[in-house]
Amino acid sequence: SQTIHQWPATLVQPVGSPLSLECTVEGTSNPNLYWYRQAAGRGLQLLFYSVGIGQISSEVPQNLSASRPQDRQFILSSKKLLLSDSGFYLCAWSVQMYTGELFFGEGSRLTVL
Amino acid sequence: LAKTTQPISMDSYEGQEVNITCSHNNIATNDYITWYQQFPSQGPRFIIQGYKTKVTNEVASLFIPADRKSSTLSLPRVSLSDTAVYYCLPKEYNQGGKLIFGQGTELSVKP
């Protein structure tokens, strides 16, 4: 069966510090991968999505970046965090030929102080 | 991508049937309608998907009229554990790429 893991689960970082959130998917090949952010309540904002290794599409211009070094690994990074980067970050995957279902990870809660 | 409109919040009582309607006036011919449920501090979870008419699974029913400009998620006999945010997403079938979540509907079930 397929599983998705992301870490760390909780992170408290000072403004200006770097960030790295990791996500891995197991049990499937060539998935579509996504990073979403949910700030202060509901409403998921799509940050990045990837349809293959090295193929990253950015939805929101900001100080975040994403990389996909391996087929089932998706990394969200920042060189210098802002207060506005605080939120609940969710990684998700779907099959390459999308059938309507996204599978989400457990989420990473980031607090920038 | 079709823009969606849902009520921001709804209240219900245990045992009642709850219907949440989503408007998607500019839905494309190839778009399917997908609904997700999200509990606090968790990622959304897929509930149901349909193209038109009615779809039913063990969790919910989805009603889509002939013009497909709206869809209604029906939750039979809700319980306290159904308290969550519900999102509808039109999605072009068999296409990868971005999936956009709206604000969703916050359902509160009371005893």
Side-chain angles (χ1 to χ4, degrees):
Chain A
S1 63
Q2 301 90 359
T3 57
I4 179 170
H5 300 287
Q6 60 176 110
W7 67 93
T10 305
L11 202 57
V12 180
Q13 293 285 103
V15 170
S17 64
L19 171 72
S20 180
L21 300 178
E22 293 195 33
C23 172
T24 59
V25 180
E26 298 177 357
T28 189
S29 297
N30 201 25
N32 289 342
L33 295 172
Y34 309 83
W35 277 111
Y36 286 88
R37 178 171 64 193
Q38 191 167 39
R42 65 181 191 277
L44 283 82
Q45 180 186 32
L46 178 62
L47 301 176
F48 301 95
Y49 69 99
S50 172
V51 298
I53 295 176
Q55 302 177 60
I56 310 292
S57 296
S58 174
E59 288 299 301
V60 184
Q62 53 196 351
N63 65 319
L64 299 175
S65 62
S67 62
R68 186 170 177 173
Q70 300 181 39
D71 180 45
R72 291 169 292 173
Q73 184 184 24
F74 207 23
I75 299 172
L76 182 69
S77 303
S78 174
K79 293 182 179 178
K80 289 185 178 182
L81 284 169
L82 306 172
L83 287 174
S84 58
D85 291 324
S86 293
F88 190 47
Y89 289 80
L90 289 157
C91 180
W93 74 273
S94 67
V95 297
Q96 190 65 21
M97 294 300 289
Y98 178 64
T99 60
E101 186 165 1
L102 274 178
F103 300 90
F104 283 84
E106 307 93 336
S108 299
R109 187 163 300 281
L110 170 66
T111 302
V112 182
L113 302 175
Chain B
L1 293 174
K3 181 180 178 181
T4 61
T5 302
Q6 300 175 235
I8 294 176
S9 63
M10 295 181 67
D11 291 331
S12 181
Y13 291 93
E14 283 190 292
Q16 290 185 334
E17 178 185 72
V18 172
N19 296 310
I20 305 174
T21 298
C22 178
S23 297
H24 27 79
N25 291 322
N26 61 336
I27 190 169
T29 301
N30 293 330
D31 283 354
Y32 274 66
I33 309 301
T34 309
W35 284 79
Y36 285 77
Q37 174 193 57
Q38 186 182 24
F39 298 113
S41 298
Q42 294 185 25
R45 180 178 70 100
F46 174 86
I47 300 175
I48 198 167
Q49 172 182 273
Y51 185 78
K52 60 181 177 181
T53 64
K54 178 182 176 181
V55 178
T56 298
N57 61 22
E58 65 279 4
V59 177
S61 295
L62 179 60
F63 300 91
I64 304 173
D67 65 8
R68 301 193 343 108
K69 294 185 177 181
S70 66
S71 59
T72 299
L73 176 73
S74 181
L75 304 172
R77 297 179 298 282
V78 295
S79 64
L80 296 176
S81 62
D82 292 317
T83 295
V85 179
Y86 294 83
Y87 300 91
C88 85
L89 293 81
K91 179 63 185 78
E92 187 171 355
Y93 192 76
N94 276 344
Q95 295 295 319
K98 58 186 179 182
L99 298 165
I100 307 297
F101 284 74
Q103 289 299 304
T105 298
E106 186 171 12
L107 173 65
S108 178
V109 180
K110 303 175 182 179

